[in-house]
Amino acid sequence: VQLQASGGGLVQAGGSLRLSCAAFGSAFSINNINTMAWYRQAPGKQRELVAGITSDGRTNYADSVKGRFTISRDNAKNTVYLQMNNLKPEDTAVFYCKAFDKTILMDYWGKGTQVTVSS
């Protein structure tokens, strides 16, 4: 499974961005993906979970983004989205997409996409 993320960029504080992450692979491997999630890593900090969504639509969020970010998923397109509103300078980070294969207990990571929020 390969993950292709897009949608990062430079935005002013209070602005919005939408990240997308598409999964590519065999139908068999794609069907085994359960949870998809977004993580982020700011300079000098550890990578942290931002939001996750299961194949049946259950979601979870980091406290720091609750009420501002929304994760969604289009299973027909094998794509997960992260709508980010009211962005803050502290949201500046490289955002990574992750998919979890429940049958072999394997994580797949996409290349990161940079999000920069100016004050």
Side-chain angles (χ1 to χ4, degrees):
V1 174
Q2 292 185 330
L3 302 176
Q4 183 173 341
S6 61
L10 173 64
V11 66
Q12 289 188 330
S16 299
L17 283 173
R18 188 175 86 149
L19 305 182
S20 299
C21 175
F24 298 93
S26 68
F28 176 79
S29 60
I30 292 294
N31 286 337
N32 291 334
I33 291 175
N34 182 11
T35 301
M36 297 188 75
W38 287 97
Y39 285 72
R40 67 184 178 187
Q41 187 166 17
K45 295 187 177 181
Q46 289 189 330
R47 190 172 297 187
E48 63 175 359
L49 174 67
V50 176
I53 185 168
T54 63
S55 56
D56 59 357
R58 287 173 289 139
T59 59
N60 66 292
Y61 296 91
D63 287 342
S64 59
V65 307
K66 284 180 180 177
R68 300 189 297 123
F69 292 9
T70 302
I71 190 170
S72 60
R73 181 170 177 169
D74 186 334
N75 289 329
K77 296 182 178 179
N78 301 318
T79 300
V80 64
Y81 304 96
L82 185 68
Q83 178 66 42
M84 303 185 293
N85 297 328
N86 190 23
L87 282 160
K88 303 176 180 180
E90 52 264 42
D91 293 317
T92 295
V94 178
F95 281 69
Y96 297 90
C97 175
K98 190 190 82 169
F100 175 67
D101 186 321
K102 62 181 183 287
T103 63
I104 59 175
L105 302 180
M106 176 175 283
D107 287 329
Y108 299 98
W109 290 90
K111 292 182 180 180
T113 183
Q114 177 72 46
V115 171
T116 303
V117 185
S118 62
S119 57

